[in-house]
Amino acid sequence: MSWSRGSLPALAVCVLLVTGSAGCGSDDAPAPTGQESALSSSPVGKVLDDTDDDGRHYREVGEKGAPQVALEVEPDAEGGWDVRLKLRDFRFSPSGAEARAVPGRGIARLFADGQPIADLRDTSYRIPEGYLGHGTHQVTARLYADDGTVWAVDGKPVESTADITASEPEPEPEPEQGSGVEPDSSSPSALSAPGTFPRTEGQGSPDRGGKAS
């Protein structure tokens, strides 16, 4: 929008009231607060009624230019798990950022079997040894705006899920008498993690507010 000198008189003017006070608009309509404010119309996408398990509303944006996340999870040498995120059209907001939605910005929340692990402002994280028990688990990274809403496309949260399998430690073989060979105590776990860029990956992921399939 360009401004010209002739446009200045057209600016809105506050009306001087009889009491001597000045005001713009009406005092009859209270400002929205709390949940009402969160559900009001927003210049960034559309806030939906659907929520995740924590009651965070989905903020739907168009597919073009929408945030994307891919997730990779690998076992490390200490028995933990190295998590790496690949992001597109999204960047992390600094700690203390204003609680408002900005296109393509926010945090990533990491879940294990539907339970939150950490809020991330970096593309790497380590799940410590022993956090995940023996068996198959689902690790999910989901993107949130700074106001706490969930970035969504086509009614589904922008997230990526990796299925990983933590194996039981193998028993240490007893060394042969006189061999002098020490048993190998390392036992990496198996995993299966997608490396593409799904906008919303619902296959096998936890049900979030009935929207992630």
Side-chain angles (χ1 to χ4, degrees), residues 70-88:
L71 176 67
E72 294 182 352
V73 185
E74 296 181 351
D76 63 18
E78 287 76 33
W81 298 86
D82 288 328
V83 178
R84 289 187 296 273
L85 305 184
K86 294 182 179 180
L87 304 171
R88 183 176 294 171

Side-chain angles (χ1 to χ4, degrees), residues 30-40:
T33 58
Q35 187 77 355
E36 180 182 355
S37 177
L39 293 176
S40 62

